[in-house]
Amino acid sequence: FFFFFFFLMIRRPPRSTLSSSSAASDVYKRQVSMSTDARTITVEPLVNMGQISRYLIPKGWTLAVLPELDELTVGGLLMGFGIESSSHIHGLFQDICVEFEVMLGDGSVVRARADNEYADLFYALPWSYGTIGLVMSATLKIIPCKPFIRMSYRRFDTMESFGKAIEDESRKKDEKTALFIEGLGYSATSGVLMTAAFVDSPKPDPKDKGCKYNNIGLWHKPWFYEHVQKLAAPLKGDGSDEICEIVPLRAYYHRHTKAIFWEMQYIIPFANQAWFRYLLGWAIPPNIPLMKATQTNSMKKMWLEDFCVQDMLVPVKDIAETVAVMDKEVAIYPMWFCPHLVYRNPHGGFLKPSKHCPPDSNEELFVDIGIYGAPSRKNYEHNSTMRRLEEFVRQKEGYQGLYAVCYMNRGEFRTMFDHRLYDACRKKYNAVERFPEAFDKTCGVPQY
């Protein structure tokens, strides 16, 4: 009885009770403006992805990059790290921002764009974690959408062929068949590649043999990563055949929300059993901020030392080698693969293409490899393992998602991230004496 009562208290609001009108009202509280002519929406930083998707999709629009998980906020994704399966076309979440309204260290408020006098500030803000100024609002790119998507699944039995397929599909930039691309790795040698694009109707094309409509977002449906593994199991391991589904757009955007990718198996181990899904699946996932707030110090220590949540961004050519290193160090599966662009910006910024990017190119294709779970390697020691992974990523001129715990020292951090523009803007915009550095907010072994 106590468990049931506590579970209900910490659950998030059921999505089924949020109508489009209430979602619109919720967003309007923080919305500044929406322009279909300019294809932008301007919102305050606490608006989250669940609110935006409920508001925009019924109107036939969506963010060019709409990250997974309902509770992720615009401010956190812009000042930190945001990505989704359309990032191979549109870049990271920061790359869909066309204007920041920012309060500087001296209390003044300015608007930073790529084409105005604050262009340096515009490029310095992403990944700065509020250490240059405080974002008051942001104007984001939106694109037309349709209410459903066609998802295609292909299975690969070698990491080399899986990585090549991710790269080949991403470089096509074919919005008609692969506006969205992601992969799930189920071992060091196997993965499922998913591509998706907008369609008008839930009825499959008669030419798509075996294609069915599937509302994967319903409360009683199996968790997405297990659904994918089961669906792709009968396919050939060389990627030569496929199976497809028609899925509601919003259900696709938040396909990993119920299971928090696959972390729910550690929080409520039996939550993906059929009886639980049908009886209490509507309450998944629990309210994560409240769960964090009620953890004891010993629980926090356990999650931080015996559990790994990291996103490592490396050039796409290094997929197979990176997976081999991660398998050796932690062997956490599934792994998440999300291709994305890294741009060469005119003013610079924390991120930039690697030295392998041709000088005449302004972008390079990377892939985010996400590891979320309990390591299965024997004699695992958390801090030293994370430092070895960070060192490998630095050698590949890649980046670590800083929402997670970072174990680099200050020098290593400045090697991974280009600080030239960041340092100049902190000095120019009165941030040095008023805000800590990004390193101080994101790095260091936690104290309990």
Side-chain angles (χ1 to χ4, degrees):
F1 174 81
F2 173 79
F3 168 79
F4 181 72
F5 176 77
F6 181 71
F7 182 74
L8 291 181
M9 289 295 291
I10 65 173
R11 69 176 177 83
R12 61 162 179 78
R15 285 173 284 176
S16 58
T17 64
L18 290 172
S19 66
S20 59
S21 60
S22 66
S25 175
D26 201 17
V27 174
Y28 269 127
K29 292 177 182 177
R30 300 187 177 104
Q31 180 187 341
V32 178
S33 65
M34 173 183 172
S35 171
T36 55
D37 293 332
R39 295 193 172 193
T40 61
I41 184 171
T42 302
V43 293
E44 292 184 2
L46 285 181
V47 172
N48 65 42
M49 296 301 101
Q51 293 168 330
I52 287 181
S53 62
R54 290 187 184 94
Y55 174 74
L56 285 178
I57 291 174
K59 299 177 182 296
W61 294 88
T62 184
L63 292 180
V65 176
L66 200 155
E68 179 61 59
L69 303 183
D70 284 20
E71 294 181 353
L72 298 177
T73 63
V74 169
L77 292 166
L78 287 173
M79 296 298 96
F81 164 58
I83 190 172
E84 234 321 308
S85 52
S86 59
S87 288
H88 67 290
I89 293 177
H90 298 288
L92 298 174
F93 190 78
Q94 68 207 46
D95 298 312
I96 70 166
C97 184
V98 297
E99 181 178 280
F100 294 102
E101 182 185 18
V102 189
M103 178 180 288
L104 302 177
D106 60 3
S108 61
V109 177
V110 302
R111 294 186 180 274
R113 299 176 58 93
D115 57 358
N116 72 2
E117 61 184 305
Y118 297 104
D120 55 348
L121 178 62
F122 176 83
Y123 288 112
L125 284 169
W127 291 64
S128 67
Y129 282 80
T131 61
I132 298 177
L134 304 179
V135 173
M136 311 298 289
S137 70
T139 301
L140 309 172
K141 297 177 186 176
I142 59 176
I143 59 174
C145 70
K146 297 178 180 179
F148 303 95
I149 66 164
R150 178 190 182 275
M151 291 190 68
S152 170
Y153 305 81
R154 290 190 289 153
R155 186 167 66 86
F156 296 85
D157 283 345
T158 70
M159 192 52 59
E160 288 74 18
S161 62
F162 180 53
K164 186 176 186 305
I166 291 175
E167 180 175 5
D168 291 346
E169 288 292 342
S170 299
R171 293 196 186 283
K172 291 177 183 177
K173 296 188 178 182
D174 185 353
E175 298 188 22
K176 293 183 178 180
T177 62
L179 175 60
F180 306 99
I181 296 177
E182 74 168 331
L184 293 177
Y186 292 95
S187 74
T189 58
S190 67
V192 177
L193 176 63
M194 291 159 280
T195 58
F198 297 134
V199 292
D200 291 299
S201 171
K203 296 182 179 180
D205 189 316
K207 298 178 182 178
D208 281 337
K209 295 182 179 180
C211 189
K212 298 179 180 179
Y213 173 76
N214 183 10
N215 187 351
I216 58 176
L218 293 175
W219 80 97
H220 59 82
K221 291 288 186 174
W223 291 346
F224 182 68
Y225 73 97
E226 291 198 352
H227 166 68
V228 171
Q229 187 175 26
K230 181 178 180 180
L231 190 67
L235 299 176
K236 296 178 182 178
D238 60 1
S240 60
D241 59 350
E242 68 172 22
I243 191 168
C244 73
E245 294 182 309
I246 306 298
V247 176
L249 178 58
R250 192 174 184 282
Y252 171 78
Y253 274 137
H254 301 289
R255 62 201 177 280
H256 293 296
T257 294
K258 286 188 294 184
I260 318 176
F261 284 85
W262 31 91
E263 293 178 55
M264 275 301 300
Q265 64 180 312
Y266 302 98
I267 300 172
I268 306 177
F270 48 82
N272 198 33
Q273 295 183 18
W275 68 267
F276 187 95
R277 295 200 311 268
Y278 276 90
L279 291 176
L280 290 170
W282 50 269
I284 293 294
N287 185 287
I288 301 302
L290 184 55
M291 288 186 67
K292 289 182 177 180
T294 55
Q295 287 182 13
T296 63
N297 287 339
S298 59
M299 289 174 65
K300 291 178 182 178
K301 187 174 187 294
M302 178 193 70
W303 282 109
L304 287 167
E305 294 187 354
D306 300 321
F307 200 80
C308 179
V309 178
Q310 295 285 347
D311 281 81
M312 300 299 188
L313 287 57
V314 295
V316 71
K317 67 179 181 62
D318 296 317
I319 288 180
E321 186 179 356
T322 304
V323 171
V325 171
M326 289 180 169
D327 180 74
K328 176 183 176 182
E329 295 288 359
V330 294
I332 296 172
Y333 297 99
M335 288 183 184
W336 189 56
F337 297 80
C338 188
H340 65 93
L341 296 175
V342 171
Y343 293 102
R344 194 191 311 276
N345 296 315
H347 287 267
F350 252 27
L351 273 60
K352 62 182 180 183
S354 73
K355 63 176 178 292
H356 301 288
C357 181
D360 59 347
S361 176
N362 289 324
E363 63 185 40
E364 183 178 6
L365 185 63
F366 274 56
V367 64
D368 172 9
I369 303 180
I371 47 175
Y372 323 120
S376 59
R377 288 298 177 212
K378 294 181 180 179
N379 302 317
Y380 171 80
E381 198 287 317
H382 186 77
N383 289 15
S384 61
T385 300
M386 291 300 102
R387 283 188 53 77
R388 287 194 297 272
L389 286 178
E390 290 171 344
E391 171 62 23
F392 173 82
V393 172
R394 288 198 302 275
Q395 291 175 359
K396 296 300 177 182
E397 297 183 74
Y399 304 98
Q400 179 181 15
L402 296 180
Y403 72 91
V405 179
C406 168
Y407 296 85
M408 292 179 280
N409 61 40
R410 194 178 298 273
E412 293 165 341
F413 184 78
R414 294 182 75 88
T415 297
M416 178 176 284
F417 298 100
D418 188 339
H419 278 61
R420 289 174 293 179
L421 178 65
Y422 174 80
D423 290 342
C425 283
R426 274 178 53 83
K427 182 177 180 180
K428 178 178 178 180
Y429 294 109
N430 303 299
V432 175
E433 301 298 328
R434 293 168 174 83
F435 302 113
E437 288 192 22
F439 172 83
D440 297 313
K441 293 189 70 174
T442 60
C443 292
V445 179
Q447 302 297 314
Y448 310 107

